[in-house]
Amino acid sequence: MSFADLPAELAAIEERGLKRHRRVLASPQGAHVVVDGRNVIAFCSNDYLGLAADPRLAAAASAGAARYGVGAGASHLILGHGAAHHALEEALARYVDLPRALLFSTGYMANMGVVTALIRRGDAVFADRLNHASLNDAALLSRADFKRYAHGDMAALERLLATSCARRKLVVSDAVFSMDGDLAPLPQMLALCERHDAWLLLDDAHGFGVLGASGGGVLQHFEVRSERIVYMATLGKAAGVFGAFVAAHGDVIEMLVQRARTYIYTTATPPMLAHALLTSLAIMASEGHRRAHLSKLIARLKQGVAGLPWSLLPSDTAIQPLVIGASAEALRVSSALEARGVLVPAIRPPTVPAGTARLRISLAAAHSEGDIEQLLRALHDVAVES
Ligand SMILES: *Cc1c(COP(=O)(O)O)cnc(C)c1O
């Protein structure tokens, strides 16, 4: 056994221009951050409501630590399931108006746990091509038949469902697509699930807290409900903390408690985080002005990109992709913006389809209108240079 071939493999990654680097963040998350020793405006976080560094959450986390200690010390099924976790699960179920909720350590683990607990060999998973990696990995691990359809193509999904004779069918989809910012056509998708007796797992990582009048997420946005829906959302994005939850019919949740391996075989999250999340939910519910401000910023950005040689994909969410085209050009634009103190990541193939390299502009309630003006000025300056 030797790792002698790793240098060549790493060099190949570098030669193809695909080597990834981590930046070091020295400040809290926010609109203005200190990265690699420099002050910049960042349009890269998933902290959509600007809560990650909210002092009320920091205070709640330390109150939680004082009350419950730091570590959970055991898994949920042994002795790690604390009063804070329990209260949070009840609050989450109420927040999304579903019968029962279950906390997971991360969204990645929630998707792995749900799919592998509900689906096995002989069953089938139907997935949008642009779904998050964790849903794809979960489907592969389940050993079920894995069918993917072109992004948003409901006719293709219907054909796949109609010709499947799997015992159990599960449609899985991002609710808000993370690289495009568009929404899954939930009402049509649900109608297909009804017609073909399939379950629907929705990953609302980018919708929970953001979509819907009180931030209830994609279900509130579309005003749909169904016992077929298994809803997953993360707590490290708009909610500003860490973790994830699944909400669904009580029998589904009970099955996850019994069978979801990523729930059972892992230490419960620190109770202080569950305690902080109770405060986060209260803020999300009561401070609708954060969502209103975010909507205003989205509208201003859309208006301000007119006249640029690039256009935004059709998205009404906080994720606003500006399509540049060639990878090298997207990198050039991203670096030129960075030189002006504006951080916007370039997303390139294979993460997105060839020829659609883009700047993934991620807006947050923490941004001011002045921040958006600065981004727009920088974009217009960089466009003139090209
Ligand atoms: C971030 C994300 C996840 C993973 O959630 P974590 O809690 O960060 O592990 C899953 N699905 C989607 C669509 C995401 O954007």
Side-chain angles (χ1 to χ4, degrees), residues 145 156 176 271 301 362 379:
D145 197 16
V176 176
L301 178 73
S362 175
L379 280 169

Side-chain angles (χ1 to χ4, degrees), residues 29-30 46-58 209 237-241 279-285 287 290-291 364-366:
Q29 191 57 264
N46 305 310
D47 179 24
Y48 301 121
L49 298 180
L51 293 178
D54 191 294
R56 293 168 293 179
L57 294 196
K237 290 175 177 157
V241 185
T279 300
S280 176
L281 291 188
I283 295 173
M284 278 165 51
E287 297 187 356
R290 291 171 184 272
R291 284 179 286 277

